[in-house]
Amino acid sequence: MTDRGFDLDARLRERERAGLRRRLDPAESVGARTRFSPDPRGGAPDFGDRSLVFASNNYLGLASDRRVLQAAENAARSVGTGAGASRLVTGDTGLHRAFERDLADCKGTDRALLFSSGYAANVGTIEALGPDAVFSDELNHASIVDGCRLGADETVVYDHADPDDLRAKLAQRAAGSLDSATEEDWLVVTDSVFSMDGDVAPLTEVCDAAEAFDAWVMVDEAHATGLFDDGGGVVQREGLADRVDVQLGTCSKALASQGGYVAGDEALIEYLLNAARSFVFSTGLAPPAVGAAREALRIARETDRADRLWATVATLREGLESMGYEVLGETQILPVLVGDRDDALALGDRLADRGIEAPAIRPPTVPEGTARIRVAPMATHTDEEVARCLDAFEAAGREVGLL
Ligand SMILES: Cc1ncc(COP(=O)(O)O)c(C=O)c1O
């Protein structure tokens, strides 16, 4: 008899063999200090000792801030725990609109639109724009890659953070189809802060290249929103709001909540709310998530919370480099380069033994030979906790033979 089912055990074994098997190790709570459990599968977690988390995207440490908690509660009480329907049916509320006005104000655009996640925002936006050609940085996030797969006629990948290669590829396509190219819609898309390398896209040069060929620019500020000027991202820091056509991001990192957004001009937002399938055919973002993200954005804009994060980043970078580690990037994401996958895993394990949660990132997430520990501090880490993290890196690095 033929078997038309799916042999998932075999697929999992194959992943195991290839070193691609993932585990879900639950945490007791989200914050700078928490307890983890080994993957309990279908059972209940068995939490161990408390660890210091240096690997979260809750960069401002606002996911447990009492003002943000209160805002989530207020939203649930006054609006509801769920939106109940797509925004286009009955799920559009005054709270969604208020947060979208705040986001547009922060981003310097006419309007903003909330999606259920950053992933949905990327996929829905690129699919709805339906570009003839997308020019995409080779290290762009998977949700951009998936949006291109779904919506772009052709995706041209340019070398990471290389505006010269971008320009060459734009020129190549323009020369290759001289007549039709003038009729085509082109989109240049890049992350602003790259999540595994902690570096920043050369946005001014990217805009220059795109403008030379009349292409649109879309920037994903997932790892930057809330951390730069006036709670904005790198686009705000560089003063590029009027040159970036689509500013996109997530509320799930520094804004300590859930949901994605697009900020742009009136026509873009009106078009997306009509045509982006991940917006149209998905329930509106849950009101508590909207309330929490809105309050987190207010705190990011009105307080010096990000300054505390940048001070911690400087201490960690300096401390790690002075021990002899190579630390990549230039942002709050501090990738400590190890190289060998097994060494990186061993370093991550030795750090965990010392109560520091900062797991190894290895191929295929990063290129072969560049396994690393991605250190990501929070604004809520104390000086003493930062010192403990550095001590752990020193002792663990010696144990693994890296220092
Ligand atoms: C650059 C980038 N874009 C988009 C996303 C997706 O955002 P979300 O987690 O809100 O789906 C992420 C992270 O997950 C990201 O790192």
Side-chain angles (χ1 to χ4, degrees):
M1 234 178 65
T2 50
D3 180 357
R4 300 204 188 278
F6 301 86
D7 188 352
L8 302 187
D9 285 329
R11 292 192 200 179
L12 284 168
R13 278 195 303 276
E14 186 45 44
R15 285 187 164 258
E16 193 86 58
R17 258 197 303 277
L20 296 176
R21 182 75 183 264
R22 305 285 182 104
R23 280 189 342 236
L24 276 174
D25 296 339
E28 195 174 32
S29 65
V30 178
R33 298 156 277 277
T34 192
R35 302 193 305 151
F36 287 90
S37 161
D39 189 346
R41 300 285 180 91
D46 179 14
F47 295 114
D49 293 338
R50 202 167 286 277
S51 307
L52 290 173
V53 181
F54 277 86
S56 169
N57 301 324
N58 173 21
Y59 300 121
L60 294 176
L62 289 172
S64 44
D65 184 274
R66 90 192 135 67
R67 296 161 294 182
V68 177
L69 292 175
Q70 189 61 57
E73 183 183 329
N74 292 349
R77 287 189 189 283
S78 61
V79 185
T81 53
S86 163
R87 296 275 298 279
L88 293 169
V89 184
T90 58
D92 186 25
T93 74
L95 182 62
H96 290 91
R97 296 306 186 103
F99 184 35
E100 287 170 347
R101 285 196 302 278
D102 292 351
L103 278 166
D105 186 51
C106 171
K107 300 284 170 184
T109 59
D110 293 344
R111 282 179 72 180
L113 188 68
L114 288 168
F115 288 72
S116 54
S117 69
Y119 186 96
N122 265 325
V123 170
T125 300
I126 299 173
E127 199 246 352
L129 290 175
D132 294 297
V134 174
F135 298 83
S136 176
D137 186 289
E138 67 174 319
L139 294 190
N140 276 343
H141 187 257
S143 52
I144 294 178
V145 174
D146 291 358
C148 294
R149 283 182 185 154
L150 205 59
D153 280 359
E154 192 182 339
T155 302
V156 180
V157 175
Y158 65 89
D159 292 347
H160 174 53
D162 184 345
D164 295 334
D165 191 51
L166 167 61
R167 205 176 260 275
K169 288 191 163 133
L170 286 160
Q172 205 173 0
R173 184 163 176 111
S177 49
L178 212 46
D179 293 335
S180 68
T182 54
E183 306 290 321
E184 289 185 344
D185 297 330
W186 289 3
L187 183 68
V188 174
V189 58
T190 182
D191 290 4
S192 60
V193 171
F194 289 87
S195 64
M196 292 300 147
D197 289 62
D199 59 341
V200 178
L203 289 187
T204 301
E205 291 81 359
V206 166
C207 289
D208 292 344
E211 279 166 20
F213 292 87
D214 293 322
W216 270 29
V217 176
M218 170 167 153
V219 177
D220 180 344
E221 296 257 60
H223 293 274
T225 298
L227 301 182
F228 294 94
D229 298 40
D230 186 29
V234 180
V235 171
Q236 280 60 51
R237 186 184 75 179
E238 310 286 322
L240 294 170
D242 56 348
R243 299 181 69 192
V244 173
D245 302 277
V246 184
Q247 295 185 56
L248 182 146
T250 177
C251 309
S252 65
K253 303 189 194 299
L255 300 188
S257 180
Q258 195 85 39
Y261 69 82
V262 170
D265 68 15
E266 176 69 26
L268 174 70
I269 301 305
E270 271 304 300
Y271 178 66
L272 290 180
L273 73 84
N274 279 278
R277 293 171 65 81
S278 64
F279 177 86
V280 174
F281 296 105
S282 189
T283 296
L285 188 58
V290 181
R294 185 177 183 218
E295 178 62 7
L297 181 66
R298 185 196 68 73
I299 294 168
R301 298 183 78 184
E302 294 178 8
T303 73
D304 58 4
R305 198 156 177 114
D307 295 345
R308 167 71 204 169
L309 175 67
W310 294 120
T312 297
V313 166
T315 307
L316 278 172
R317 183 178 287 280
E318 210 177 284
L320 290 163
E321 285 178 346
S322 70
M323 285 170 209
Y325 283 111
E326 183 181 350
V327 184
L328 308 178
E330 52 192 296
T331 62
Q332 80 284 1
I333 298 164
L334 301 162
V336 178
L337 191 62
V338 176
D340 180 73
R341 153 204 296 255
D342 292 334
D343 284 349
L345 286 171
L347 182 60
D349 288 347
R350 297 290 84 76
L351 288 168
D353 293 345
R354 289 173 169 76
I356 302 296
E357 190 65 24
I361 311 283
R362 54 203 151 124
T365 306
V366 292
E368 207 58 59
T370 70
R372 62 198 68 180
I373 302 285
R374 177 187 180 274
V375 178
M378 295 181 214
T380 40
H381 283 122
T382 63
D383 291 345
E384 190 252 319
E385 288 167 346
V386 172
R388 270 181 58 198
C389 176
L390 286 171
D391 288 347
F393 261 97
E394 178 135 50
R398 287 196 199 293
E399 237 175 79
V400 178
L402 297 171
L403 298 179

